[in-house]
Amino acid sequence: FADDAQALAALVRRRRQLVDLMTLEDNRRQQEHDAGILADIVALLDMMRSQLDALDRRIAAQIRTSTALREKHDVLVTFPGVGPVTSAVLLAEMPELGSLEAKQAASLAGLAPFNNDSGTSEKLRSIQGGRAGVRCALFMAALTAIRHNPDIKAFYKRLREQGKPQKVAHVAAARKIVVILNAKLRDAIPKHHP
């Protein structure tokens, strides 16, 4: 299982690098006016999209060929808002998911609020640390879940109605998702799996 998880982590890391490169090139495309350079950028973006598609197929194959990864993946994608990309990131970068306490899961994902108090001054709580790739994947999952998952949608709406800023409610939704996913994996996967 460890070798499968390491191979998946390498593929997920490469996928993130490629997406970052595509974002940079797309930003250049939007600012460029020279037709020749635009054509070069479009050709490069097309090539990168092909590489991204190939990487997504390799990631899916890596998950399918590992019983432990496949079982966890099958549980994760049942949650509305979690698709193959988010599942792959969680499997690769948070392999402990399913064996953690709720607060540990939120903290590892970088979604646990920490006090910024110093002496007698009290500041707003904020999230910090954790695994950035996991946090980004959960933010994207939260965006989808806020629209399509009735429980997360109601939770988010309740926070907004209480006057919480959009970003705070979004972070809280992402935190709720990782806690739910941790519990789903804990309850669904037999204990003999790592």
Side-chain angles (χ1 to χ4, degrees):
F1 173 71
D3 290 344
D4 292 337
Q6 284 181 342
L8 179 62
L11 292 169
V12 166
R13 187 170 47 252
R14 182 58 187 150
R15 186 187 194 284
R16 182 175 300 114
Q17 293 165 352
L18 193 54
V19 168
D20 289 347
L21 287 171
M22 290 173 70
T23 300
L24 289 172
E25 285 303 306
D26 193 48
N27 289 341
R28 288 184 187 105
R29 181 187 59 79
Q30 293 175 35
Q31 297 170 5
E32 188 55 60
H33 301 290
D34 182 275
I37 294 174
L38 272 171
D40 289 346
I41 292 171
V42 168
L44 183 56
L45 281 168
D46 287 344
M47 183 189 71
M48 287 185 194
R49 276 189 205 94
S50 294
Q51 288 186 354
L52 186 64
D53 290 343
L55 262 175
D56 284 341
R57 287 191 297 274
R58 289 176 65 194
I59 288 169
Q62 182 66 33
I63 291 170
R64 270 195 321 272
T65 58
S66 166
T67 302
L69 291 175
R70 186 177 62 249
E71 286 178 353
K72 287 184 171 188
H73 170 78
D74 290 347
V75 171
L76 292 172
V77 295
T78 63
F79 187 85
V82 174
V85 173
T86 299
S87 174
V89 170
L90 292 172
L91 292 170
E93 299 182 3
M94 201 168 170
E96 311 91 339
L97 198 62
S99 64
L100 302 166
E101 296 296 323
K103 288 181 180 178
Q104 289 176 309
S107 185
L108 275 178
L111 295 168
F114 290 95
N115 291 331
N116 291 332
D117 301 344
S118 175
T120 57
S121 70
E122 289 185 24
K123 299 178 185 169
L124 291 175
R125 297 172 79 192
S126 64
I127 59 170
Q128 59 190 22
R131 299 175 184 169
V134 171
R135 185 171 52 252
C136 288
L138 288 166
F139 278 161
M140 296 307 292
L143 281 175
T144 303
I146 288 166
R147 289 192 303 269
H148 302 290
N149 182 311
D151 295 334
I152 299 299
K153 185 176 189 174
F155 175 73
Y156 177 82
K157 184 179 177 194
R158 190 168 54 251
L159 291 175
R160 294 290 285 139
E161 287 170 351
Q162 291 171 1
K164 301 290 185 192
Q166 182 177 356
K167 185 174 181 180
V168 170
H170 188 163
V171 169
R175 182 172 50 251
K176 188 171 184 71
I177 290 170
V178 76
V179 169
I180 291 169
L181 294 176
N182 184 62
K184 283 174 75 78
L185 283 176
R186 182 194 61 226
D187 297 343
I189 304 297
K191 299 299 180 238
H192 65 271
H193 284 304

